Amino acid sequence: MAQKRLMQGNEAVAEGAIAAGMTFFAGYPITPASEVLQYLVRRPEVRAIQFEDEISSVCALVGASLAGAKAMTATSGPGFSLMQEGIGLGHMMETPFVIVDVQRVGPSTGMPTLPAQGDVMQAAYGSHGDYFPIVFYPNSVQELYEYTIHAFNAAEESQSPVILLSDGYLGHLYETIEMKRNARLRKRKRPPLGVGGRHFTGLTSVDNTPTPQNPEAHRRMIARLQAKQRKVGARYAHYEYISNRKADTLVVCFGSLSRAVMPLADRYAIFRPILLYPPIEEFSEIAKRYKKVVVVEMNAGQYVRVVQRLMRRTALSLPMIGGDLDVLRLEERLKWITTAS
Amino acid sequence: MDYDSFLRTDRLPTSWCAGCGNGTVLRAIIEAAHRLGWDASNTVAVSGIGCSGRTAGYFSFDSIHAVHGRAVPVAEGIKLHRPELNVILVSGDGDLCGIGGNHLLHAARRDTNLNVVLVDNEIYGMTGGQTAPTTPLGTKTITAPDGAWEKPFNVQGVIKAHGAFYARSTTWHVRHLAKCLDAAFRHPGFAFVDAKSQCTSNYGRRLGYRTAYDMLEHFKTAYRINDGAQTLADDEIGITA
């Protein structure tokens, strides 16, 4: 049974989280993500708390998750920056929860109401040290709903914080979606707090005991975490690929910007990763079929580095910064970059 | 009573220096928890970063060692999701009053039912003896060689301003400390115990105290008990009204 509803992107995230079994939400108001918190405080099945900042919000998720809750927060760039230490803690303590980042133009306060994709790098490398997050970036209200559920499942499977990227355009976009009932949900592997004898720490540790000066233990831990994240990430290697035998150029795009690229499928082949990290390995095979690869993104060129690493060759970077999703300008610039190079 | 059942005995001895006050506070908490029938099935310990931040990990309860300054919001997440769990939070003055000061005042305002024990040694001990938010005016530290020039953090004011439970004691006044903890643990909202404690290695010895006992003797003479007061003066300890 599926129910159809007209819904805003941020609301779809909230509904997806409820469908995924979320019971705890902590957040701080920020444009353009506030609607998630506003929507959830009205839902009796969720304990939604407005905290004093994003630091406390993400740390409350760590506590609530260890206490057994499926937990989530939603924020935008400035808040996402503040959350990085809590994300690192979540990876170290192997605590599942979901962070939604509705991106806006940065750095700093930037242009709060306009969309951007400037947190693509921060989503994977924002916290200090080595960690290997699973990061999704849908491109429609329907997908926001579905990938919020996937994000919760991936968090449980990997026992780690999973990041769902959105942007100011998607978050405020209204579309009709189908809300699938009875989605397959992953259960918590670890018994909640109240067992005894377990120590959850940000320190490198072995068997519940910190070992802060044991390089071998640290190497083993990082190798185990990396292997686990890769394994779970591979189960969610979702992408959209529109092949084009006549085209010599493959355009890589994601999120709201990909909606503007899709109408150009007559001229270009299009690859849209929905899972941004761990990067989708199959891409390297797909890219071989095209002479040129253009990565178009609403930042100065972030994911292009990931794409180049996957292909082991140079890609063209087409930055579309400034927060204005101008389809004609995009078309013009794509034409220019593919003919000029 | 059986102290060992409350301890991760496999982790002993602790990482603390000889003469440190953390063990005294740990023992007092165990006794208070024992009296109330708190055990690993219904209790969780949380700490932040620092010497006293290691306290949580020595309990046999499930324990969390959060990042610096964030013990309070982690504990709030636990308590808000599972109100039936008793949450004991032990951390230092740098963690709770410095980097975590904002969380502290908001948790007091929200009146979340947490039991927060501040081990206040007036110094950043683990990192070598830098000025803390609670370092008294004029006291010399390695980052204030001419003496601390800022007024110390008024933790009593912050907690009491929001109507939360506040008690102060010291590691010399162990029976009084136990009484404060007992009252705090029974309090149905946000409860805060300010336990003045000694750091000999990176504080006391530089101020002319030869031993930990000298520092404890200072507590003995410097503080007098005044339970039931509306507000405690700087030289008073007690459970405030």
Side-chain angles (χ1 to χ4, degrees), chain A residues 52, chain B residues 72-73 76 96-98 100-112 153-155 157-164 190 192:
Chain A
E52 60 269 19
Chain B
V72 168
E76 287 192 278
L96 285 169
C97 304
N102 191 35
H103 308 310
L104 183 67
L105 72 91
H106 284 283
R109 178 175 71 89
R110 272 190 290 268
D111 205 22
T112 312
F153 189 87
N154 180 357
V155 63
V158 167
I159 303 299
K160 299 278 290 178
H162 299 99
F190 190 83
F192 191 93

Side-chain angles (χ1 to χ4, degrees), chain A residues 23 47 51-53 55 59-60 63-64 66-67 69 85 93 192-201 208-210, chain B residues 8 10-11 40-41 44 54 57 60-65 67 70 73-74 76-78 80-82 85 102-103 106 110:
Chain A
T23 52
R47 192 87 204 255
F51 269 84
E52 60 269 19
D53 54 30
I55 299 172
C59 288
L66 289 171
E85 65 171 29
M93 289 185 178
L193 294 173
V195 173
R198 297 177 300 176
H199 185 49
F200 302 97
T201 171
N208 291 313
T209 301
Chain B
R8 280 274 310 272
D10 60 311
R11 291 201 61 199
S41 71
V44 178
R54 294 298 184 93
S60 59
F61 311 133
D62 279 343
S63 60
I64 299 172
H65 183 211
V67 280
R70 319 302 171 211
V74 169
E76 287 192 278
I78 297 167
L80 288 165
H81 181 62
R82 295 265 304 281
L85 285 175
N102 191 35
H103 308 310
H106 284 283
R110 272 190 290 268

Side-chain angles (χ1 to χ4, degrees), chain A:
Chain A
M1 275 290 288
Q3 186 195 350
K4 280 196 174 183
R5 262 179 70 181
L6 178 69
M7 195 176 285
Q8 190 206 49
N10 283 338
E11 292 172 356
V13 166
E15 282 292 345
I18 291 166
M22 177 189 68
T23 52
F24 189 87
F25 181 92
Y28 184 79
I30 188 166
T31 303
S34 300
E35 291 86 0
V36 184
L37 171 64
Q38 288 157 215
Y39 193 87
L40 288 169
V41 291
R42 293 168 184 275
R43 296 298 290 259
E45 61 270 59
V46 179
R47 192 87 204 255
I49 312 282
Q50 182 177 329
F51 269 84
E52 60 269 19
D53 54 30
E54 289 88 349
I55 299 172
S56 48
S57 299
V58 72
C59 288
L61 299 189
V62 172
S65 176
L66 289 171
K70 286 194 176 182
M72 183 177 87
T73 187
T75 187
S76 187
F80 193 51
S81 296
L82 290 177
M83 288 181 181
Q84 295 304 323
E85 65 171 29
I87 292 170
L89 180 68
H91 278 274
M92 207 58 164
M93 289 185 178
E94 296 186 63
T95 311
F97 53 89
V98 174
I99 302 119
V100 182
D101 175 14
V102 189
Q103 298 167 92
R104 67 189 218 187
V105 177
S108 190
T109 313
M111 299 200 278
T113 60
L114 298 183
Q117 302 179 322
D119 304 352
V120 161
M121 196 58 85
Q122 190 184 15
Y125 300 102
S127 198
H128 56 278
D130 296 306
Y131 68 109
F132 314 93
I134 293 167
V135 181
F136 294 108
Y137 194 175
N139 82 342
S140 66
V141 178
Q142 178 72 46
E143 277 194 3
L144 278 170
Y145 176 81
E146 288 171 15
Y147 279 88
T148 302
I149 300 172
H150 284 313
F152 272 96
N153 284 341
E156 295 300 333
E157 288 168 45
S158 63
Q159 297 200 86
S160 77
V162 168
I163 290 159
L164 180 77
L165 291 176
S166 174
D167 55 60
Y169 184 81
L170 282 181
H172 288 162
L173 181 67
Y174 276 86
E175 290 182 311
T176 303
I177 70 161
E178 267 187 31
M179 291 164 66
K180 288 166 194 144
R181 297 293 173 204
N182 309 319
R184 194 152 155 256
L185 303 180
R186 298 285 175 184
K187 289 204 177 73
R188 182 65 48 90
K189 290 174 189 167
R190 186 163 56 201
L193 294 173
V195 173
R198 297 177 300 176
H199 185 49
F200 302 97
T201 171
L203 285 168
T204 297
S205 53
V206 175
D207 297 335
N208 291 313
T209 301
T211 54
Q213 292 185 328
N214 183 340
E216 194 44 49
H218 186 78
R219 283 191 283 270
R220 274 201 304 273
M221 179 192 75
I222 294 296
R224 180 178 64 76
L225 294 179
Q226 186 171 20
K228 179 188 71 175
Q229 297 297 105
R230 273 192 186 150
K231 188 177 153 197
V232 177
R235 290 179 204 151
Y236 293 91
H238 299 178
Y239 59 85
E240 183 180 0
Y241 168 51
I242 301 169
S243 69
N244 188 332
R245 286 172 191 279
K246 288 178 284 176
D248 68 347
T249 303
L250 175 67
V251 178
V252 178
C253 53
F254 39 75
S256 61
L257 184 61
S258 67
R259 300 285 289 266
V261 177
M262 288 305 166
L264 309 176
D266 59 331
R267 273 155 275 180
Y268 308 106
I270 300 168
F271 182 83
R272 176 175 73 91
I274 303 173
L275 179 79
L276 293 195
Y277 302 95
I280 293 169
E281 299 290 339
E282 288 117 288
F283 174 74
S284 57
E285 285 305 312
I286 293 169
K288 278 180 190 162
R289 297 168 209 162
Y290 301 92
K291 203 171 134 212
K292 295 173 198 168
V293 173
V294 182
V295 183
V296 50
E297 45 190 334
M298 292 160 78
N299 57 51
Q302 296 187 10
Y303 202 71
V304 65
R305 300 172 201 188
V306 175
V307 167
Q308 291 186 141
R309 188 156 51 83
L310 282 172
M311 300 193 301
R312 293 186 175 81
R313 66 176 164 114
T314 308
L316 299 167
S317 174
L318 183 60
M320 295 292 291
I321 66 170
D324 50 344
L325 242 172
D326 184 333
V327 181
L328 292 176
R329 191 166 153 265
L330 170 70
E331 192 177 342
E332 226 171 72
R333 297 209 358 126
L334 261 176
K335 193 176 169 188
W336 165 77
I337 200 170
T338 48
T339 49
S341 58

